[in-house]
Amino acid sequence: PWTPASMARPGPLPVGWRILKRSWRGCYERALVVVDGWLLTLEPASGRTTNTWPLADVLGVERRGAADVALRLAGPCGAAGWVRLLTVVAPSAAAAESLEAALSQ
């Protein structure tokens, strides 16, 4: 899996967005980053990784408004047909479009 140490090695910089993550705990700021085949959420102030998913687990990306994006993710019960939903708000419609394009490939 991805680790913070992989950021220190030479190579392309990660692709990332500053987003608001929506969850059962409310709406809070995160950095959403794509690096080395992984999708990560990071605590912006500390850089601490809060969630990781292999990019292969991104089953789909759906725009739900100008800046709202929903990511369908395969879950630990993906074989049973369960899907997790990560809903985020990008800072702008252009950022949401960029996020959708990057994760729809």
Side-chain angles (χ1 to χ4, degrees), residues 4-87:
S6 64
M7 292 289 281
R9 66 173 171 61
L13 292 174
V15 175
W17 302 264
R18 195 88 169 218
I19 51 105
L20 291 177
K21 181 179 175 186
R22 291 185 174 160
S23 79
W24 59 272
R25 289 189 284 166
C27 199
Y28 44 93
E29 192 172 14
R30 288 287 183 257
L32 186 67
V33 178
V34 176
V35 63
D36 293 337
W38 290 85
L39 178 65
L40 319 165
T41 56
L42 308 173
E43 166 61 46
S46 68
R48 179 180 65 85
T49 301
T50 57
N51 282 294
T52 63
W53 300 274
L55 279 180
D57 281 2
V58 178
L59 302 176
V61 181
E62 177 186 332
R63 292 283 293 280
R64 294 189 166 181
D68 290 50
V69 179
L71 307 174
R72 287 178 318 208
L73 303 166
C77 299
W82 293 17
V83 174
R84 290 184 287 174
L85 200 60
L86 171 63
T87 55

